[in-house]
Amino acid sequence: MTTNSVAAIILAAGKGTRMRSKRAKVLHELGGEPMIARAVRAVAALEPNPIVVVVGHQAREVEAAVKFPNARFALQEPQRGTGDGARCALEQLPANFTGDVLITYGDMPAIKSSTLRAFLDAHRKRGARLSFISIILEEPAAYGRVIRDTAGKVEKIVEFRDASPAERAFKEINTGCYIVDFELLRSALAELKPSNAQDEYYLTDIVAIARTRRETIEAWVADDPAEFAGINSREELANMEAEIRAAVNQKLMAAGVTMVDPASAYISEQAEIAPDCVIGPNVQILGACKLGEGVRIDGTAWLSNVTVGPRCHLKLGVRAEDCSIGEESEIGPFAHLRAGTELAGHNRIGNFVETKKARLGRGTKASHLSYLGDATIGDDTNIGCGVITVNYDGYDKHHTTIGDRCMVGCDTQLVAPVKVGSDVYVASGTTIIREVPDGALVMSHHPQREKPGWMATWRKRHNDSPDGSLKRNKDHQKRVAE
């Protein structure tokens, strides 16, 4: 380790009682991912080694949400304040570590990595052994106050509940983000005492300890207080979600994307949308979606991790996830593309068609009311109305293969595993249970039978006349009586 090394501690052990939830606070989602993931990603951009996440409530679930290779975890049980959490984290740092320790919070998901980098650079430039980020608020509410002496130097940080009326009048507050020399941090944490109204170990007390030791302390005043907003309630969660969504939409519109109603467009930060796309109202584009140039989404659509090729048209009510749609395809209305669907391009998936693990070749169409699951279909094949790949036998899923340039008639069932060759014509109402060779006509019709005069007998049984007038008269009398 060198003196330029930096480690990071992210405090994320609390339950968050004001969320009124069985889930740990940091597991609640923002922009389609747990807020802890956002908080860790901002820190990870500085390449600290290691990153120690302090967990407590629902520890395993929080650990699972942190998907960074050099992350370590420290269990704080019971939770007795931020200072106690930092002490737990020190146990995960290497014994020979020398350098600075950055401390942030898992419920502070709006902070930017660029801000943390500027903070770290300022700390080292000023030669401080302890620095923290402060902000100025006109209405500081219940945040901890930064108390300075007459010379303007930081004297201490006082939690609101422990502050005097004079101290509460200060407008500079502590955000809770620190950079501390490792040796100073370890020794200061050892001196902490729970001498406060909550009987907890406050991390803020290390400032007063460092002051007593005449260490160099710097309060780095950040420009944007919004970055340090914590999430403590459902209302705050919703407000930050709205801010994230508005920022994403503004960025996309500035890059050439049309939004019919930006207020109803929910688009993830990971989504990539090319210029000249048109996004209709009430559309959700989640995860790592990619939309090519000129894509049009009419509205009321839900997409998750979907790649859409250029000039595709997604009509009303389309749902698609974990799939790819080739260029110039037409989807919907009311189509459902499930995971594993691959459309090669120039495809038509019409109303009430469902696909799952289905690959459709270029130009292939399924215009309405079909289910295509566990299937590979070639180019320029037409799937008629009511066609079903019967892929499940009650225990296992089986595959269906259909070749190029086939005409599959309406109300056809393909009982998998089965293969249909190319240039095959499947007559309407056929049930296919074995392989069909190239170029064949296949059918499985039952003989048609007729019973002459049956309808007259049916009407007579119901006391109706051949022209239906008696039945209509009875219906009219019934309505009048009612």
Side-chain angles (χ1 to χ4, degrees), residues 78-146:
Q79 287 91 53
R80 295 195 62 192
T82 52
D84 179 61
R87 282 199 297 206
C88 294
L90 292 185
E91 299 174 4
Q92 295 297 320
L93 294 183
N96 62 339
F97 180 82
T98 59
D100 296 313
V101 180
L102 170 68
I103 304 175
T104 65
Y105 295 85
D107 61 352
M108 195 180 287
I111 193 167
K112 298 176 182 177
S113 57
S114 57
T115 298
L116 294 177
R117 170 60 66 185
F119 175 43
L120 177 61
D121 291 344
H123 167 79
R124 290 175 171 171
K125 183 177 181 180
R126 296 172 182 177
R129 296 197 71 200
L130 186 156
S131 296
F132 63 90
I133 301 177
S134 69
I135 53 177
I136 307 298
L137 295 178
E138 288 302 315
E139 297 182 6
Y143 291 104
R145 302 299 202 266
V146 177

Side-chain angles (χ1 to χ4, degrees), residues 313-372:
H313 183 189
L314 277 60
K315 298 182 179 180
L316 187 72
V318 170
R319 178 185 173 98
E321 58 186 320
D322 300 314
C323 64
S324 62
I325 301 171
E327 77 278 2
E328 298 188 29
S329 293
E330 184 178 321
I331 313 297
F334 307 110
H336 185 187
L337 308 185
R338 293 169 56 189
T341 295
E342 297 179 24
L343 307 182
H346 295 266
N347 299 104
R348 166 82 172 93
I349 302 296
N351 51 292
F352 306 107
V353 174
E354 179 181 355
T355 63
K356 188 269 295 183
K357 290 184 180 178
R359 188 193 183 283
L360 276 63
R362 192 173 182 83
T364 288
K365 302 174 182 179
S367 294
H368 33 235
L369 297 165
S370 296
Y371 171 70
L372 305 174

